[in-house]
Amino acid sequence: MCSSDLFLFLGTSLSKADSQELEYKVKAAFLLNFAKFTAWPLPAENTPGPFTLCVLGTDPFGQSLDGLAEKQINGNNIEIRRTASSAAIGQCRLVFVSKSEQADLQKVLRLTAGHPIVTVSDMEGFAAAGGTIEFKNKEGRLSFIINNTKARMNGLRFSSSLLTLALEVL
């Protein structure tokens, strides 16, 4: 699809389901870039095996994430895992926390505290509550807030390029 086709496509009216599908395709691409622009502590960065990207709770992505399994992060293939159990997220390098986990958010954040795990969500207030990256929809544009303080506490470092693109850095 060339850029003019993309603008034409974006200009067409979309049903709510189509709009949500497109939104989560874009969010899937953001997840890939978040991973590419994150430096993990050396033992985690040099760990052999797949880069594990997890979705905790109800999966809003559908098949949008499946294409990421063909990509690599730091030379490691990406493995997509979907889980309903917060106990399983300890094996994840990046975890998207679905809105279905709102009631257990503090438990999830306690489980990831002190571990080099990037947590991402589109829950309102996620970054302020202690999550790493919060998706924001500002004036119809998808953006994000980075809780860099929390990331550093967990041994994570974001590239300056990613920090510059953030709507807000905490």
Side-chain angles (χ1 to χ4, degrees):
M1 180 181 294
C2 73
S3 61
S4 61
D5 291 338
L6 180 61
F7 288 118
L8 182 64
F9 174 71
L10 291 175
T12 61
S13 68
L14 299 172
S15 71
K16 184 171 172 76
D18 289 341
S19 177
Q20 185 172 9
E21 182 180 342
L22 178 59
E23 174 186 346
Y24 280 94
K25 281 183 180 179
V26 173
K27 286 179 179 179
F30 268 84
L31 293 179
L32 177 64
N33 285 308
F34 293 155
K36 285 183 175 183
F37 290 97
T38 301
W40 278 263
L42 282 179
E45 197 165 277
N46 295 329
T47 302
F51 177 94
T52 309
L53 189 155
C54 302
V55 176
L56 176 62
T58 304
D59 180 6
F61 291 94
Q63 296 178 357
S64 298
L65 280 181
D66 296 341
L68 297 185
E70 301 167 4
K71 309 284 185 191
Q72 290 190 337
I73 301 295
N74 297 327
N76 295 319
N77 293 331
I78 297 175
E79 180 182 321
I80 308 297
R81 291 187 189 168
R82 293 162 171 95
T83 182
S85 170
S86 58
I89 62 175
Q91 298 123 23
C92 304
R93 303 280 290 284
L94 187 148
V95 60
F96 179 85
V97 182
S98 176
K99 290 179 183 177
S100 67
E101 302 307 297
Q102 181 76 50
D104 290 329
L105 180 58
Q106 288 308 311
K107 176 183 176 186
V108 171
L109 295 175
R110 276 192 308 274
L111 287 170
T112 58
H115 300 282
I117 300 170
V118 176
T119 55
V120 182
S121 185
D122 49 13
M123 283 185 238
E124 185 69 32
F126 182 75
T132 315
I133 301 175
E134 176 184 339
F135 282 119
K136 292 296 281 185
N137 191 336
K138 184 173 169 111
E139 299 172 8
R141 291 191 59 188
L142 186 60
S143 191
F144 54 94
I145 297 171
I146 294 179
N147 186 333
N148 200 38
T149 303
K150 187 65 163 184
R152 287 183 172 270
M153 289 171 57
N154 291 344
L156 301 164
R157 300 279 186 260
F158 293 120
S159 78
S160 59
S161 300
L162 187 62
L163 293 169
T164 300
L165 292 173
L167 180 66
E168 184 178 351
V169 177
L170 307 176

